[in-house]
Amino acid sequence: MTASISHTTFDSLDPYAQSVFWAQVLDFHADPEEPFGPGDDECMIFSPDGSQRLLFIRVPDRKQVKNRLHLDLQPEEAGGRDAELARLLTLGATQVDDQRRPDGTGWVVLADPEGNEFCILRSHAERYATSQQG
């Protein structure tokens, strides 16, 4: 017997605002049969193919310590890591740490509007280009 992951849940002060931010980051969407809006206590968004789901639920307290679990995001081919970093900063993310190296490897640590950390990695194309340099 095994289990599968139904969805990933984020505690949130404002589930709606968090779901809107992450929907823009990941190109996810709400279920049209179960719409949600500002003030709702639970907001779930789905990947385009429906295989991944993120649930944001209202809790009364702010994030207090470093995440023990976080998302590592890999940009689509167009633009790569640095273009995705710029896009996410305009959506409301903040940069927490920069682990980019002169050779092009590394990642950037960001936080969503409620302080949850996540990382931006290199795209497949960027990783391939670095592997061909050696």
Side-chain angles (χ1 to χ4, degrees):
M1 180 181 283
T2 63
S4 62
I5 297 171
S6 169
H7 55 272
T8 302
T9 301
F10 289 81
D11 290 348
S12 306
L13 293 173
D14 185 344
Y16 178 74
Q18 285 291 89
S19 67
V20 169
F21 172 81
W22 282 102
Q24 292 174 326
V25 168
L26 300 170
D27 193 27
F28 278 30
H29 62 276
D31 182 350
E33 294 181 22
E34 292 188 41
F36 54 80
D40 284 355
D41 289 333
E42 295 186 4
C43 300
M44 186 176 291
I45 58 174
F46 298 78
S47 62
D49 67 2
S51 66
Q52 299 175 49
R53 302 183 302 173
L54 299 179
L55 174 63
F56 300 88
I57 60 170
R58 185 176 310 282
V59 297
D61 46 282
R62 294 189 165 280
K63 177 181 167 292
Q64 298 184 14
V65 296
K66 184 181 183 313
N67 298 13
R68 297 211 41 189
L69 172 75
H70 68 267
L71 302 177
D72 286 338
L73 305 180
Q74 183 173 310
E76 299 299 321
E77 301 306 322
R81 179 192 56 212
D82 294 342
E84 185 66 1
L85 170 62
R87 183 181 81 87
L88 297 179
L89 291 172
T90 64
L91 292 177
T94 55
Q95 186 170 320
V96 174
D97 192 17
D98 191 338
Q99 293 293 320
R100 291 177 286 185
R101 298 181 193 105
D103 67 357
T105 61
W107 63 94
V108 180
V109 181
L110 299 173
D112 72 15
E114 290 194 7
N116 300 300
E117 291 98 0
F118 62 100
C119 296
I120 299 297
L121 310 175
R122 295 178 299 153
S123 68
H124 283 296
E126 289 170 308
R127 287 196 337 267
Y128 178 77
T130 302
S131 72
Q132 298 302 304
Q133 293 174 0

